[in-house]
Amino acid sequence: MRGGNFMQLDSAAAVNGARNLLLRLQYDGTAYHGWQVQQNARSVQQTLQEALFPILGGPHDLKGCSRTDSGVHANEYYVSVRTHAAIPCVRLQAALNVRLPRDIAVLGCREVPLDFHARYSCTGKEYVYQIWNGPVKNPFLERYALHYPYPLDAESLHRCAQAYVGTHDFSAFCSAGGKKLDPVRTVTSFEVTRTGALVTMRVAADGFLYNMVRIMVGTLLRVAQGKIAPTGIPAILESRDRGRAGLTAPPHGLFLNRVFYNEPI
C-alpha cells in the first residue's frame, strides 16, 4: 500500500469525485455461506450489497479483506468500496446499520486512497478459535465455540503449537480448494490459553491457506487425543501431506479477529 496518511487522498479523486470508502464490519457467520457471493446461498457480501444499493446506487464491487468460510464469524472485517456518492461516512454507517440484519454491524467507515484494497493492502490477519472444554455443552456458546468434553492441557498444547511459528510450507494444513496458492506462510504467533472451561487458540500470520487455521486446531486436538505425538508437527510440516495432519475443526468456533495494514485503521 502507498505510504502517507489515509486522509491524503488522490488528486484525481478530487477532480472526478471518486471516493474509496473503507467499512469495518462485525458479523455472526452462522446464517451465511461465507463472505463471497454464492449463486444458491446467502453470503455476507450479497447482504451488504443489497443494503448499499438504495443508499449509494450501484451495483458496487465490494473488496473484502478475506474469503471467510461458511459459518465462520468476524470480530473485525474490512470492506473497500468505490463510489461517487457524496454521503458523509457517519451518515453511511448509520444508514447501513438500519438496513442490515441484526447479525451484521458496521462499526466504522472512513475514506481511504483510491489505490487502497481491503484484501491486497492487508499485511496480516489474526484468527481466534474457541473451544468449550466442559463435560456439558454451553447453550450460550453453541454457535461460537466447539464443544469438546475430553481433557485438554492448554499449556502443553501451547508448547506444541510453537512448531507452527515461523516461515513454513503449510501444504499439509491446506484443504484441496487452496492447493493452487503458494503454500509458504509466516506464522508470527500461536497462543493456547484457558479461562475456566473456555480454551482459546489465537494465531497470527501474514496470510492463511484454505482451512489452514481449522486444520491446525484439528491437529492439536489429535495431539491431545494421543493420536499425534506432541513433537510430531514439524514432521507433518516437512511431509507436505494433508493426510498426516488432523481433521478440519468445525467452522463455528472460528473468528477472524484482527486485520493488519501498514497504516493504522
Side-chain angles (χ1 to χ4, degrees):
M1 195 196 84
R2 189 184 55 207
N5 189 282
F6 277 153
M7 296 309 294
Q8 295 173 346
L9 304 179
D10 302 62
S11 59
V15 173
N16 62 27
R19 304 166 70 204
N20 193 16
L21 304 181
L22 186 65
L23 305 176
R24 180 164 65 98
L25 308 183
Q26 187 175 66
Y27 59 82
D28 176 340
T30 304
Y32 302 98
H33 288 253
W35 157 256
Q36 199 164 5
V37 170
Q38 310 285 325
Q39 283 196 350
N40 300 307
R42 193 73 175 170
S43 72
V44 178
Q45 182 180 15
Q46 178 187 351
T47 305
L48 181 59
Q49 283 178 338
E50 291 173 356
L52 272 171
F53 185 87
I55 304 170
L56 300 181
H60 288 86
D61 185 15
L62 307 182
K63 307 297 185 183
C65 65
S66 180
R67 296 179 179 179
T68 55
D69 295 337
S70 176
V72 173
H73 316 292
N75 287 325
E76 183 174 85
Y77 191 96
Y78 287 96
V79 181
S80 50
V81 54
R82 289 198 180 197
T83 183
H84 285 82
I87 183 173
C89 282
V90 65
R91 285 183 54 201
L92 176 59
Q93 178 185 355
L96 282 173
N97 281 324
V98 168
R99 295 177 181 274
L100 285 168
R102 294 172 63 87
D103 51 10
I104 302 175
V106 180
L107 303 182
C109 173
R110 68 181 304 172
E111 200 160 343
V112 293
L114 288 180
D115 63 357
F116 183 90
H117 191 291
R119 180 180 178 191
Y120 297 124
S121 298
C122 174
T123 60
K125 303 182 183 78
E126 178 185 84
Y127 281 89
V128 164
Y129 196 93
Q130 296 188 151
I131 300 172
W132 180 253
N133 187 218
V136 179
K137 65 183 179 180
N138 184 332
F140 298 106
L141 290 178
E142 275 292 286
R143 303 194 333 184
Y144 310 112
L146 169 65
H147 180 217
Y148 187 85
Y150 311 107
L152 286 179
D153 183 337
E155 292 184 4
S156 176
L157 292 180
H158 174 80
R159 292 192 295 270
C160 180
Q162 301 319 297
Y164 290 133
V165 178
T167 302
H168 306 288
D169 183 325
F170 281 93
S171 294
F173 296 86
C174 177
S175 293
K179 290 297 186 182
K180 294 181 180 179
L181 299 175
D182 177 4
V184 176
R185 294 290 185 273
T186 299
V187 173
T188 55
S189 65
F190 199 121
E191 300 176 357
V192 183
T193 58
R194 175 186 288 276
T195 303
L198 186 65
V199 173
T200 301
M201 299 186 181
R202 184 185 307 267
V203 55
D206 60 356
F208 293 89
L209 303 176
Y210 182 45
N211 285 341
M212 178 172 156
V213 177
R214 291 165 58 191
I215 298 170
M216 296 166 91
V217 171
T219 301
L220 289 175
L221 292 179
R222 284 291 198 224
V223 171
Q225 295 162 5
K227 297 180 179 179
I228 294 177
T231 57
I233 289 178
I236 296 172
L237 286 165
E238 187 66 25
S239 75
R240 300 176 174 83
D241 180 2
R242 173 67 187 92
R244 294 187 58 178
L247 299 176
T248 304
H252 65 280
L254 185 62
F255 293 74
L256 175 58
N257 194 52
R258 297 174 65 194
V259 183
F260 304 113
Y261 295 99
N262 282 331
E263 300 210 21
I265 307 294

